[in-house]
Each structure stands twice: as structure tokens, then as C-alpha cells.
Amino acid sequence: MKAADFGDDFVWGIAIAAAQNEGAADLDGKGPSIWDAFARRSGKIKRGAGPNPGCDFYHRYAEDIALVKTLGFDTFRFSISWPRLLPEGTGKINEAGINFYHRVIDCCLENGLVPYVTLYHWDLPEALENEGGWAAYSVNGAFNTFVSLCAQTYGDKVKNWIILNEPFGFTSLGYMLGIHAPGQTGVTSFFTAVHHAAIAQADGGRIIRAEVQNAHIGTTFSCSQVFPHTDADNDHLAAYRMDILLNRMFVEPLLGMGYPGMDWEVMEKFAISHSTWRHTEKLAFDFDFIGLQNYFPLTVKYNAFVPVVQAWEVKAKSRLKPHTAMGWEVNPDSFYAIIKQFAAYPGIPKLYITENGAAYADKLTDGKVDDQERIRYFELYLGALLKAKQEGLNIAGYMAWTLMDNFEWAEGYQTRFGLVYTDFKTQQRIIKSSGYWWQDFLRK
């Protein structure tokens, strides 16, 4: 298997996120994000870590973009920090932030890399969270202001745009379970945040379409094939409910189908409350592509004590399945299956894999990181992707997660996904064996 097997026009990229990489959280006029605030709460992030210092991409972007080129990728996906441009979420523009992303974009272009810009990768301005965040109706107007600013500022140089990164991820983890920023809990805040995020992804697409000539617009969804733990009816129903939340909640309203799950009382009430024509029309937008972000499948069993979904994950380790350092099951067949599941929607023109990768317990030995497990992971998952593409599925690109070890949200700095090893004390970058594997793969 080699890169050429995927076709000459296949996009090969690598992705990062502002809050995980930039650092400089309070420099040059940047306002605090919900992750800066979350990091100040005791016990929320492993070892008391936070977005500072990240990988200091703010100062080292030229070095890091050169690494992307060295590894052989043709596309660099990064996000724009909302509070770096608009410290209060709306209002006064921070010119230092504006200029920073001009430098990043120009550096990409000078290195022959195509920039794919993500507009929202989880770093909501803390000023907006103080008004209720994604659970407040006002967030949509603020988001539209931010998107318009980005489009008008960078649209002459950036043509590839991703509106939201994993809306189910930031609404469920941040507004229902409370294990990610901003740490809100409860079903009501979750469903309200879901609706506002669903509106935002469509509104954002409309704004980019209107403001940027020849724009290529997408949005991304986390996704996981869901298996029942047993053949019991309750386990099958638990898997069905999880599939609605994980895989269908955001894509179906986007396609004009409305919210899914009308045969599930909780979702039925939610869907009916947003079923008028003005809701369904506002939620829909014809994207040029959909990005899928897959890391693992999910096996669940019925649990009456879990609110709403009544489902509980059965961990890969307990099922004696291969897994990564995060405990996530390694299963390329499920990667293939979830791609087919999304490709079956008639309203999706093409798919990109906008994130895929694995965390392992990397060790720096004699100045090298020999991460053979990660190499094997990529071999398996790219093989499954090639199978899907050869069967005729319109898959236009793949973006590895991630360029370098970084701030991994609630896991802090203990979890490493990068193709490049980051020494967080010195900020030295060391290309891992997996990075050299990619370099060789992309040259073939």
C-alpha cells in the first residue's frame, strides 16, 4: 500500500488545534477561553495542566509548518482561536491575533501547503461562557460575527473551511457530562447546546458561502460504530440510542432530515420542539464535504441507572480487545463500516477523514521514539480506508491526528498522539518512527 493507490487528487494532510498547540494564552491581547478557565479548577485536568504552554506554536509556527512539509503532507489543518481574534467574543478586534493568523497562512502558502481552517475547535471565549456559552441563544449571533470576521479577513487566501470540530464532542463532554470545558452538567444544557451548535454549523456555512469566492466548505463529526454487548433486546436498544447521539444527531438535521430518534421519547420531545419549517430550514446547509473523525468503535450494554441513554460502555480491555493508551479499541473494520454508514446518506457529496490517529506510551530512548504500535495502527486504518475508496465511496482526503504531542484536553500532557515527539520542558521536536513512516508512505 502506498499513497499513490488513493489517486493523484487525494488530499493528504495533518491536523492541529489552537487551544492544544498555540500556548501564549494571555499574550498579545488574547482573551481567556473556556479551557483557560477550566484549567484553573482543581482536579479537572490531569496533573493540573492547562493550554499554557501547549507546544508554543504561537512562536514556533514556522518551524512546525516546515515539519509538515518535511513529513510530506500537502495540507495543513489548523484552527483559529476565537478569543485571540475577539477577546470578549464580540466587539473589539485584537489586531495582534489577526496578524498572527495572516503569518500562519502565509507560511503555509510559502511552503506549498494548502491551509484548511477550522473555525471552532472547542475554545469558546470565556466572556461568552459567562453568558451561558453554547447553552445560551446569544452564542449564535456571536459565532456569526466571528465567522464573518474570519471570512472577510482571510477569505482571499483561504478557500478550504471547516465550520465546527466535533459538535457532539463539545456539547456532550462540556455541557452534559462536565468532564471537558466549560464543565456544565445536565440534560437540559446539553440539548440546548446541541440545538445552538446545529444552527451554528449551518449558519457558518452560509456565511462562508456568501463571503468567500470559490470556497470549499465542510464541517466535521466524531463518529463510532456502535455494537450491543449481547444479543439481548435491551442491549440492542442501548446501542440504537447511542448511535443516534454519536452518529446521527448533527448530520441528519444538516441534510434537511430533522433531528433523529422520533421513536425514542427523549429525542421525540426534542425533535418535535424544533420541527417547524423555520427550524428545519435553518438547520440545513449544502456542504461541499463532511469530515469524519474516527478513533474507535463503541460496545455498550443496557444500564437503567444511566440517565437518558441507559447505556454503558464495555471497555475494550475488559473484552480483551487490542487498544491504545487511551483504552480505545483498535478496530479497522469498524472504521470501514462507519465510513460506509455516513456515505449511505444521499445528501453528502464527498467525505474527508479529518482526524484519525492513536495515543501510545511513547518513550524517548537515545534521542529517538520508535513507535511501532502507531505505525501498525496507521497501516490497518489506511488499509480499511483504501478498501472503502476502491469500492467507489467518494473519499477525497485523509488528515492524520496529529502533528506533534500537545495538550490533550482533560488528559493534559500525559497522552501523546503526535508523529513528532514534544519535549514540553524544552519544546524540542523529535520526529518519531511513525513520522518517518509517513514520509516514506507519501513519497511512494
Side-chain angles (χ1 to χ4, degrees), residues 37-49:
F38 196 62
R40 293 193 293 268
R41 295 170 60 181
S42 178
K44 289 297 183 180
I45 299 175
K46 286 186 177 178
R47 300 192 181 183

Side-chain angles (χ1 to χ4, degrees), residues 293-348:
Q293 310 199 160
N294 175 264
Y295 292 91
F296 56 90
L298 199 67
T299 296
V300 298
K301 64 180 179 181
Y302 172 74
N303 186 326
F305 296 102
V306 176
V308 184
V309 70
Q310 294 186 313
W312 187 262
E313 181 185 0
V314 184
K315 300 286 188 180
K317 185 176 181 180
S318 70
R319 294 181 286 110
L320 304 180
K321 298 294 183 181
H323 55 276
T324 69
M326 293 280 283
W328 296 348
E329 181 179 344
V330 178
N331 187 332
D333 291 336
S334 78
F335 182 48
Y336 165 81
I338 198 67
I339 293 169
K340 291 195 71 172
Q341 181 174 328
F342 274 81
Y345 286 110
I348 295 179

